[in-house]
Amino acid sequence: MGLQVFSLEGQRALVTGGGTGIGLGISKAIIEAGGKVVITGRREDVLKEAVAELGKNASYRVNDITDKASIPTLVESIETEEGPIHILVNNAGIHHKAWAQDTADEDFERVIQTNLISVFSLTRECAKYMLKRKKGSIIMIGSMAGLFGIDRVIAYSASKTALTGLVNSLTTEYAKNNVRVNAIAPGWITSNMFLNAVNKDQARKQQITNRIAMDHFGTPEDIGNAAVFLSSEGAKYITGVILPVDGGATVNF
């Protein structure tokens, strides 16, 4: 079959937080592989700009993933108005940078709500349709902070580590209906926000650079290509995997 096994022709993906950064990189890669995307986010102006860049195979829905009551309506409207959601990419997430001793319960809960509970709520709703069709790819976007210890990201780290448990358990329940559940754990990926942050803290930048086995940061497209692979027929026997896309950071000393 050659490269055809990596085609997403006829596939539709829902990408949360798809208007910027990694989410936009994933959306681009899916469209380049022949698929269609529906992106969500809270800011309509950002989504409109992204869709203008992505082209005719992209559409958007304004949605706050933490508004759990809106999730069934969101999924149903996409399924009925645009067509089946074959691929779900749980990309939307928030960060809270503080030492553990300075992290309030409210901060911790807010991160867990967005990065974990809302992810489960949306996954369960999309799976309702995928399981009936006996086909689907669900991708969680994890983090290096879910694979090894990083200081000052206690809430974020807990939320991303918990995604591994979500992947493991959902795999055991969904696999019989050919719905695959995997996660991508991005390393340090270039974005304006990331570059601004590390350039202000040269010691932190050096610490990160030393950790990466390769000699450069990753790009959103690197994560997008991994998402395309995991959603394609080329990965039809892959489920329950946490895939680091990190330039070797998880194994480098």
Side-chain angles (χ1 to χ4, degrees), residues 41-119:
R42 291 174 294 183
R43 297 172 293 167
E44 188 167 19
D45 56 332
V46 171
L47 296 171
K48 274 184 175 173
E49 277 181 37
V51 165
E53 185 181 344
L54 291 167
K56 62 182 174 57
N57 288 322
S59 62
Y60 74 86
R61 303 291 171 106
V62 178
N63 180 258
D64 182 349
I65 195 68
T66 63
D67 178 12
K68 294 196 295 298
S70 72
I71 289 175
T73 306
L74 170 71
V75 175
E76 184 184 19
S77 69
I78 295 169
E79 286 269 344
T80 55
E81 293 167 21
E82 302 202 38
I85 299 167
H86 305 99
I87 301 159
L88 169 63
V89 182
N90 284 299
N91 169 72
I94 60 171
H95 206 280
H96 180 75
K97 188 172 181 180
W99 295 105
Q101 294 307 107
D102 298 325
T103 301
D105 291 345
E106 294 75 18
D107 299 323
F108 198 95
E109 288 163 4
R110 186 167 48 87
V111 173
I112 295 294
Q113 177 63 61
T114 304
N115 295 4
L116 179 63
I117 298 172
S118 296
V119 165

Side-chain angles (χ1 to χ4, degrees), residues 23-229:
L24 183 58
I26 290 170
S27 299
K28 283 179 182 174
I30 288 170
I31 288 172
E32 284 169 10
K36 296 182 177 180
V37 298
V38 182
I39 61 173
T40 68
R42 291 174 294 183
R43 297 172 293 167
E44 188 167 19
D45 56 332
V46 171
L47 296 171
K48 274 184 175 173
E49 277 181 37
V51 165
E53 185 181 344
L54 291 167
K56 62 182 174 57
N57 288 322
S59 62
Y60 74 86
R61 303 291 171 106
V62 178
N63 180 258
D64 182 349
I65 195 68
T66 63
D67 178 12
K68 294 196 295 298
S70 72
I71 289 175
T73 306
L74 170 71
V75 175
E76 184 184 19
S77 69
I78 295 169
E79 286 269 344
T80 55
E81 293 167 21
E82 302 202 38
I85 299 167
H86 305 99
I87 301 159
L88 169 63
V89 182
N90 284 299
N91 169 72
I94 60 171
H95 206 280
H96 180 75
K97 188 172 181 180
W99 295 105
Q101 294 307 107
D102 298 325
T103 301
D105 291 345
E106 294 75 18
D107 299 323
F108 198 95
E109 288 163 4
R110 186 167 48 87
V111 173
I112 295 294
Q113 177 63 61
T114 304
N115 295 4
L116 179 63
I117 298 172
S118 296
V119 165
F120 172 65
S121 298
L122 181 59
T123 297
R124 184 184 57 206
E125 197 61 33
C126 287
K128 186 169 79 176
Y129 297 87
M130 292 177 175
L131 293 167
K132 285 178 187 170
R133 290 190 287 264
K134 295 191 179 296
K135 190 170 179 63
S137 170
I138 296 166
I139 296 174
M140 315 293 183
I141 301 299
S143 169
M144 295 291 94
L147 298 176
F148 54 76
I150 302 176
D151 62 38
R152 287 169 281 177
V153 291
I154 188 69
Y156 183 79
S157 175
S159 70
K160 294 300 185 179
T161 303
L163 289 180
T164 300
L166 212 57
V167 167
N168 291 348
S169 289
L170 292 177
T171 294
T172 67
E173 296 190 23
Y174 291 176
K176 295 289 188 297
N177 285 311
N178 199 34
V179 174
R180 299 181 298 105
V181 186
N182 295 293
I184 298 169
W188 285 278
I189 306 299
T190 53
S191 69
N192 289 336
M193 189 167 64
F194 168 68
L195 291 174
N196 286 339
V198 295
N199 286 332
K200 287 176 185 170
D201 187 345
Q202 288 300 314
R204 186 80 160 182
K205 184 177 182 180
Q206 192 60 52
Q207 185 183 19
I208 292 168
T209 305
N210 289 345
R211 178 84 206 205
I212 303 169
M214 288 184 168
D215 65 351
H216 57 278
F217 300 129
T219 67
E221 287 71 26
D222 293 325
I223 309 305
N225 292 336
V228 167
F229 166 64

